[in-house]
Amino acid sequence: MGIQQASLWLEHNRDGLLLGLAVGIGLVAVMLILRGYGRALVARDPHGLSWRMVIGQVLAKTSVVFMVLAAADVVATYAEPPHPVAHLIHIGFVIAFALQGAVWGLGLIGRRVAEESGGGALANAMAIIRVLVSVALFAIAGVLILGNLGVNVTALVAGLGIGGIAIGLAAQGIFSDLFAALSILFDKPFKRGDIIRYDNSTGTVERIGLKTTRLRSLTGEQLIMANTKLLEREIHNLAEAKARRITIHLAVGGASSAQAIDAVIDAAAKAVPTQKGCKLVRCALSGAGAGALAYDLVYDDSAIDNDRIATNRSAILRSLIEALSPHELVLARASDQPPAPLPF
């Protein structure tokens, strides 16, 4: 009886079956070609981070089981098999699609962390994110599979939602700093080795961790700042500066005359360019008193290292002293702070 029914079904659905088989075989062939193309892209650059390489990684992860079940579902659509058979094929396709979708979703996550942005700590952060995303994707796939198998998943979905909210609230601070670390990784406001300033603190970035960023201050001690709190502040990345503007406030004693003023300005114009990377902005008279004339010497220094900047400033002051000596002019006061106001 079963053979007679099968023969009768084949007789009535021969055209649909042939069409379904043709479409299914064509679908499998296309997916095999795409998988081969993806594997070729991955073999060309296994660690590529471009969208083209990410898509290649996704295509390379396509399973043959998924291809076969997708083709079978197409054939069932055209051939119209008995309902139990069609239902079984559809369930198999849904299960394969849910699992394959989870695998594709994991393929969209970058696998490499930029070397200059942290090393092992941020690699661990990416690993944690991959685990969380994997759990979420396969949980969704599991719920989808159970729903198609006829299981009532309403209570399960509600329980997962409540559990996720509870875990999120309990670990809010940890996740906040974790995602802040990833923000530093991808947005790159600074990287390891950069000199940054925030609030009243300045230091060199030594390590970007999962929860904190550690800096070495100019005075030698270590500064530890939570990633979230650090990103909430205005950060000055001194390593990205094209030049540092330096202002030296001078008080020159000696004869007060137009020639003396010109001599100071000329001496500054000659002293600043002698230091590599230094460019004079201005040297202008800013005040006058009974004992000295006050000047503002402003120049740009392309050096980033603070020690080099201090060395250049010292050399400029020394050149000024030597240049002013023949004019019987002396630096009465030189500091980084402006001198007291001098009355006219």
Side-chain angles (χ1 to χ4, degrees):
M1 191 68 178
I3 297 177
Q4 292 180 352
Q5 289 179 345
S7 300
L8 186 62
W9 174 81
L10 285 174
E11 183 179 351
H12 286 84
N13 297 276
R14 182 179 304 163
D15 294 339
L17 180 60
L18 292 176
L19 180 60
L21 286 173
V23 174
I25 293 173
L27 179 63
V28 171
V30 170
M31 288 192 288
L32 285 173
I33 292 173
L34 290 176
R35 188 176 72 164
Y37 175 71
R39 288 182 174 179
L41 287 177
V42 174
R44 190 181 308 166
D45 186 7
H47 302 289
L49 295 177
S50 65
W51 276 110
R52 184 179 179 184
M53 300 308 302
V54 171
I55 292 174
Q57 293 170 3
V58 171
L59 294 176
K61 294 178 181 295
T62 304
S63 169
V64 175
V65 175
F66 168 72
M67 297 181 191
V68 172
L69 289 174
D73 191 62
V74 171
V75 172
T77 302
Y78 285 95
E80 298 181 359
H83 178 71
V85 176
H87 183 63
L88 182 62
I89 293 175
H90 181 69
I91 289 177
F93 169 70
V94 170
I95 293 174
F97 178 76
L99 296 176
Q100 185 63 62
V103 173
W104 281 339
L106 291 178
L108 292 175
I109 301 175
R111 297 185 302 173
R112 192 179 69 175
V113 178
E115 297 178 359
E116 69 272 13
S117 297
L122 287 181
N124 293 335
M126 286 298 296
I128 293 174
I129 296 299
R130 286 176 62 85
V131 170
L132 295 177
V133 173
S134 300
V135 171
L137 289 175
F138 281 101
I140 295 173
V143 170
L144 182 61
I145 292 171
L146 291 175
N148 279 270
L149 291 176
V151 179
N152 187 356
V153 296
T154 304
L156 177 61
V157 172
L160 290 175
I162 295 173
I165 293 174
I167 294 174
L169 291 175
Q172 182 177 4
I174 296 175
F175 284 126
S176 177
D177 287 322
L178 175 62
F179 283 103
L182 293 178
S183 176
I184 294 173
L185 167 64
F186 293 113
D187 193 42
K188 297 182 180 180
F190 56 83
K191 59 183 181 295
R192 186 172 54 184
D194 285 355
I195 300 175
I196 64 173
R197 182 175 73 246
Y198 64 92
D199 296 340
N200 295 321
S201 302
T202 302
T204 302
V205 179
E206 288 189 337
R207 180 175 177 270
I208 303 172
L210 297 179
K211 183 172 178 58
T212 62
T213 294
R214 305 191 179 196
L215 304 93
R216 184 67 57 182
S217 72
L218 299 179
T219 53
E221 67 270 20
Q222 189 179 66
L223 305 176
I224 302 174
M225 192 70 174
N227 292 325
T228 304
K229 298 295 183 183
L230 183 60
L231 291 182
E232 290 175 354
R233 286 160 167 74
E234 181 180 277
I235 300 174
H236 299 259
N237 192 338
L238 304 182
E240 295 297 327
K242 295 182 179 179
R244 302 276 290 276
R245 178 149 293 187
I246 310 297
T247 300
I248 302 177
H249 302 283
L250 306 172
V252 180
S256 297
S257 63
Q259 290 79 10
I261 296 174
D262 293 338
V264 174
I265 296 175
D266 291 342
K270 295 177 181 178
V272 172
T274 58
Q275 303 306 311
K276 184 179 180 180
C278 294
K279 181 180 179 181
L280 179 68
V281 176
R282 66 178 178 273
C283 180
L285 184 66
S286 60
L293 298 176
Y295 297 84
D296 287 339
L297 173 57
V298 183
Y299 64 94
D300 290 334
D301 193 338
S302 60
I304 301 301
D305 181 63
N306 288 323
D307 292 335
R308 183 61 186 173
I309 292 174
T311 300
N312 290 341
R313 181 172 53 189
S314 176
I316 290 171
L317 288 172
R318 185 177 184 278
S319 297
L320 283 174
I321 293 173
E322 292 180 350
L324 296 178
S325 295
H327 300 279
E328 297 183 354
L329 299 172
V330 295
L331 295 183
R333 177 177 182 175
S335 69
D336 286 335
Q337 301 296 326
L342 300 175
F344 285 96

